Amino acid sequence: MTLLYAIGVGALTNVAVSIVGRLLRLLNVRFDPSGESLIIGVAAAVIVATLGIGARRELVRLALLGLAVHASLVINRFLGVAFAGRTPDDGSRDAFSFTPLALGLLAVGLVLGIAMGLIARGFRPRLPWRPPERLVRAAGFAFVVGTIASVVWPGPFLAQVLGGADLVTAVVSLPLILAGPLAGGAYASRAGVDYRGIALLGLYVTLPIIITLVAGTIAGVGRLNDPRFDPVAGQLRGTIVLSWFLVAMRLAGWPLGATFAQGFLSPEPSAPAEQAP
């Protein structure tokens, strides 16, 4: 489970950096770190520090995970060209334009992670606090499942084929939105985490989206009070309501996954260390 714990540490660290970045962006401070490279770097550092440089298979898996989101953009672009007969407008053009940059960031993240891991392995610092292992593994599992879903489920392509309206995009994006939270909630429940811990974890990983949505809602309400936006007032209201509904679904996915695990899945066997009084 070391690999899953490492991915969870990277995912939770990426959430913290995203929160800081979005708050700074609201203050007109440009701050745009690469989430995938950060996740790969931190996770690689944890793995190397724990297992040593011989953990090559784990590092390869991390590299593939870091490229998965990039691969989903490429897949959607190919599908758009092949089936729609035109170039899709879903941002997948960036998948080709920034391929060298994405590969470079991945390599830098791995190198820095290995270096950090070797330093930690040599000094063996004693950390004053360590994140709960079961919650961290649940966050890692949710990230992995969500990343796989982004590759398997071509949501942007389907939305464009079906018309590209906000409601259509939301419906076809539900598997992408719910895959990670449902899987993470189910995993945490099987590991013995209570509903309160699962809900707090879901709130934490969703916080960057909530911050952006709050800022967007405030801006949208301001536009609704401007007579110049009267022709599109209904569309603005619909977008705001739909956005909050999708965030609520993302938050609800964690306890829903836990409920499903409680009702249909057997609990994960406890480790010997956890059984000790």
Side-chain angles (χ1 to χ4, degrees), residues 53-105:
I53 196 63
R56 298 178 182 177
R57 181 179 301 176
E58 285 78 4
L59 293 176
V60 171
R61 291 175 179 173
L62 285 171
L64 293 175
L65 185 64
L67 287 176
V69 176
H70 183 76
S72 69
L73 293 175
V74 175
I75 291 172
N76 277 282
R77 183 172 177 83
F78 276 124
L79 288 174
V81 174
F83 291 92
R86 56 191 174 89
T87 302
D89 299 324
D90 57 3
S92 58
R93 182 178 303 176
D94 296 340
F96 288 91
S97 301
F98 297 104
T99 294
L101 178 61
L103 294 176
L105 288 175

Side-chain angles (χ1 to χ4, degrees), residues 221-259:
V221 171
R223 294 189 185 99
L224 289 175
N225 294 327
D226 190 337
R228 293 176 298 176
F229 289 91
D230 286 347
V232 293
Q235 182 179 354
L236 284 174
R237 293 190 184 94
T239 300
I240 292 172
V241 171
L242 186 60
S243 299
W244 279 107
F245 171 76
L246 292 178
V247 169
M249 290 291 292
R250 190 185 296 269
L251 287 171
W254 290 87
L256 285 176
T259 302

Side-chain angles (χ1 to χ4, degrees), residues 100-244:
L101 178 61
L103 294 176
L105 288 175
L106 177 62
V108 170
L110 284 173
V111 171
L112 290 178
I114 292 172
M116 292 169 57
L118 290 176
I119 293 173
R121 187 175 178 84
F123 287 94
R124 297 186 180 277
R126 182 168 297 179
L127 300 177
W129 178 78
R130 181 178 176 180
E133 182 173 353
R134 292 178 295 180
L135 281 177
V136 173
R137 284 187 293 159
F141 189 73
F143 179 80
V144 171
V145 172
T147 303
I148 294 174
S150 70
V151 177
V152 175
W153 181 254
F157 164 72
L158 293 176
Q160 189 174 37
V161 170
L162 296 175
D166 288 345
L167 183 58
V168 173
T169 302
V171 171
V172 299
S173 299
L174 281 178
L176 302 178
I177 293 173
L178 293 176
L182 288 173
Y187 186 95
S189 178
R190 291 191 65 217
V193 181
D194 58 18
Y195 279 96
R196 180 182 178 184
I198 294 172
L200 289 175
L201 177 61
L203 177 62
Y204 173 73
V205 299
T206 315
L207 196 54
I209 301 174
I210 295 176
I211 293 173
T212 301
L213 185 54
V214 168
T217 300
I218 294 174
V221 171
R223 294 189 185 99
L224 289 175
N225 294 327
D226 190 337
R228 293 176 298 176
F229 289 91
D230 286 347
V232 293
Q235 182 179 354
L236 284 174
R237 293 190 184 94
T239 300
I240 292 172
V241 171
L242 186 60
S243 299
W244 279 107

